[in-house]
Amino acid sequence: MYRLRAFFNFAVVHWLLASSISASASAGEGSSSLAERDDGILRGINIGGWLVLEPWLQTCDNGCIFHNGVNAWDQHSFDALPGAAQALQTHWSSWFKEADVQTLRSIGINAIRIPIGFWAYDNAGTPYLKGADAYLEKAVGWAKSAGVKVWVDLHGAPGSQNGFDNSGQAGPANWQQGNNMDRTISVLETIAKKYGSQQHAGTVVGIQLLNEPISWGSMNPSITQSWTVKAYKAVREAAANKDLMIIMHDTFLSPAYFEGVPKQVGTESSRLFGVDTHLYQKYSDSDKKLNQAQHIQKACGWGSDLGKAKSVLPVFVGEFSASTEVCVNPDGSTTAGNSPCSTPGCQCVNSDWAHWNPQTIEQVRRYVEAQLDTFEANTNGYFIFNWGGPGEWNFINMVNKGVIPKPITSRKYPGQCGGKKVKRSQGERRVARGLLGIETS
């Protein structure tokens, strides 16, 4: 996230006035606040569930797009329903608005990662409905006015690159079949011509070639890697902004898997090809056995792999969250899992966030700060997941609860990471947000 001056060739607009820092400190955010730096670090948030629907983010009794009774499980099935077009317009116009960008800016967020599906540009032969790009264009304008940077993320590809609902269609991952990969490049060229133009050069700083293509089952990672080189060249050619960063997800193998790409595309000196990795500690069996202190230790240990990769190419953590599966005792100690507490006064993180006690808030805040410290020290940028959603997945909920720092660079618990390094296993890297489709709270 840090000194990626070749990434932008522009100065990041100062998003935090000295008076704001003073006000936050007096409000109890802690006196240990990182100094505001013009360092090119992207301190961002995902606007997931907006232009690519994800049912687990938007399921409720009423008033949301996947309210009870809607017979759909992803964007593909939703768009085929009667009345889907009007429902989408209502959702797009309400889920994320211009005032929200200003709110994010006031918290110290200087970038937004906006997922969008291929069908926004090419829906031929599918039930998908167009229209999302008009709102992406609006968001770019809102961001420009607020001094916030935008990362356009192709989140869903033809055939589905992972089989998760966040690709648009849950089921088999068929992206590497037929003409799906070439069709994806055509969509990326359309995106690059529009958002990689000089008109947007000061705001749109990155285009992500593809989100979370899996590296197992029907998907061959070496084919994905070769496609990445081809797609990079096509996007670079289509974009008038030659300082545009082009990013690829690590296919759950690690950023190191793409360390050879800069040489293949000629970005060894310009550092304009970057890799995106997603880090969660919630879904693997090994993570479910950790208490919060161990989660924090592991988050600190991520710095080893991230830092090594960053020495070769720009590295970004495109997704991470505040969520773990632990329970917190009244004395502040924690136990692994979400089992009912046996100690009087114990509270599990998966309980109603609105009723979290001070001990739970502290433990979740400690974990968030450890991740932020690791990413500040070892990457070129990071994006919290998510803008909207249930419980601890809702950014504003967590800011208001005191779990996420305000401003994002302030610290209540500085110095948690003491240099211990922990490498992720390949199995752990495969843990994807696609599994969140089973989440209901």
Side-chain angles (χ1 to χ4, degrees):
M1 356 176 155
Y2 302 63
R3 298 167 176 83
L4 194 55
R5 299 190 183 279
F7 180 179
F8 305 120
N9 288 334
F10 63 82
V12 175
V13 179
H14 289 291
W15 42 258
L16 189 61
L17 298 175
S19 58
S20 299
I21 298 174
S22 176
S24 293
S26 64
E29 278 295 311
S31 59
S32 180
S33 177
L34 297 175
E36 175 64 17
R37 301 185 302 275
D38 179 11
D39 55 9
I41 303 171
L42 293 184
R43 300 177 176 96
I45 188 168
N46 285 274
I47 316 299
W50 185 35
L51 306 182
V52 177
L53 301 181
E54 296 192 38
W56 74 277
L57 290 173
Q58 297 134 337
T59 298
C60 62
D61 291 334
N62 56 66
C64 61
I65 196 163
F66 279 95
H67 61 79
N68 290 346
V70 171
N71 185 25
W73 48 93
D74 53 22
Q75 181 109 35
H76 188 270
S77 56
F78 184 90
D79 284 9
L81 295 175
Q86 183 55 53
L88 285 172
Q89 289 293 333
T90 300
H91 170 71
W92 290 335
S93 63
S94 60
W95 180 256
F96 187 64
K97 297 176 285 189
E98 182 170 14
D100 299 326
V101 181
Q102 298 290 343
T103 296
L104 291 172
R105 183 66 169 169
S106 72
I107 298 168
I109 296 298
N110 67 3
I112 52 178
R113 179 176 181 257
I114 306 180
I116 195 162
F118 77 93
W119 56 88
Y121 308 95
D122 173 10
N123 65 348
T126 76
Y128 290 118
L129 300 175
K130 286 188 174 184
D133 180 66
Y135 286 87
L136 175 57
E137 186 173 1
K138 286 176 184 287
V140 170
W142 301 338
K144 181 177 182 179
S145 297
V148 170
K149 306 306 175 187
V150 174
W151 177 335
V152 178
D153 160 38
L154 187 63
H155 220 68
S160 179
Q161 73 275 18
N162 52 35
F164 306 148
D165 62 4
N166 64 39
S167 72
Q169 185 173 13
N174 292 328
W175 176 65
Q176 291 185 346
Q177 299 180 16
N179 70 339
N180 288 330
M181 291 189 291
D182 287 340
R183 188 176 179 184
T184 303
I185 289 177
S186 294
V187 168
L188 286 166
E189 288 174 325
T190 299
I191 293 171
K193 287 174 183 177
K194 182 171 183 177
Y195 295 107
S197 66
Q198 288 299 331
Q199 174 189 353
H200 296 304
T203 302
V204 178
V205 295
I207 292 176
Q208 180 157 356
L209 299 176
L210 193 57
N211 176 73
E212 293 187 346
I214 58 174
S215 54
W216 58 90
S218 62
M219 294 281 288
N220 184 331
S222 66
I223 292 176
T224 300
Q225 188 182 69
S226 297
W227 175 88
T228 298
V229 174
K230 182 178 179 181
Y232 175 93
K233 292 177 179 178
V235 170
R236 179 62 65 205
E237 177 66 25
N241 174 14
K242 299 309 177 184
D243 293 324
L244 182 75
M245 174 65 73
I246 299 171
I247 311 101
M248 182 61 180
H249 182 261
D250 67 1
T251 73
F252 301 106
L253 290 176
S254 87
Y257 188 70
F258 285 86
E259 286 181 357
V261 172
K263 184 175 182 180
Q264 292 177 272
V265 299
T267 62
E268 293 169 286
S269 59
S270 65
R271 292 176 65 88
L272 288 175
F273 172 79
V275 65
D276 163 37
T277 191
H278 297 172
L279 299 176
Y280 294 105
Q281 291 191 39
K282 188 175 174 69
Y283 305 105
S284 71
D285 290 340
S286 60
D287 282 339
K288 292 178 180 181
K289 297 176 182 178
L290 303 180
N291 62 30
Q292 198 74 334
Q294 292 168 327
H295 281 297
I296 290 169
Q297 180 183 11
K298 183 174 179 178
C300 293
W302 283 335
S304 177
D305 287 349
L306 293 172
K308 288 177 182 177
K310 184 193 172 193
S311 68
V312 178
L313 77 173
V315 174
F316 303 88
V317 178
E319 295 182 16
F320 69 102
S321 81
S323 190
T324 59
E325 292 195 357
V326 300
C327 298
V328 185
N329 295 313
D331 64 359
S333 63
T334 64
T335 57
N338 283 328
S339 300
C341 294
S342 57
T343 304
C346 175
Q347 186 177 62
C348 296
V349 171
N350 72 337
S351 63
D352 184 358
W353 70 272
H355 300 292
W356 281 357
N357 61 36
Q359 292 83 7
T360 301
I361 292 171
E362 176 181 338
Q363 289 300 322
V364 181
R365 170 79 175 238
R366 284 181 177 276
Y367 175 60
V368 169
E369 288 193 10
Q371 293 180 95
L372 292 173
D373 285 348
T374 295
F375 304 153
E376 287 276 347
N378 298 286
T379 77
N380 299 95
Y382 52 85
F383 296 81
I384 302 169
F385 198 89
N386 187 45
W387 162 250
E392 69 268 31
W393 297 92
N394 185 299
F395 180 77
I396 295 300
N397 283 354
M398 294 299 97
V399 170
N400 291 339
K401 201 68 176 176
V403 166
I404 291 176
K406 181 183 180 180
I408 198 70
T409 51
S410 67
R411 299 289 182 267
K412 278 189 176 181
Y413 310 106
Q416 292 187 96
C417 295
K420 295 181 179 180
K421 308 298 181 184
V422 179
K423 292 186 177 181
R424 293 181 290 160
S425 69
Q426 181 168 318
E428 288 171 333
R429 289 171 185 142
R430 289 185 176 184
V431 175
R433 187 170 47 82
L435 300 178
L436 293 173
I438 64 173
E439 290 278 310
T440 58
S441 63

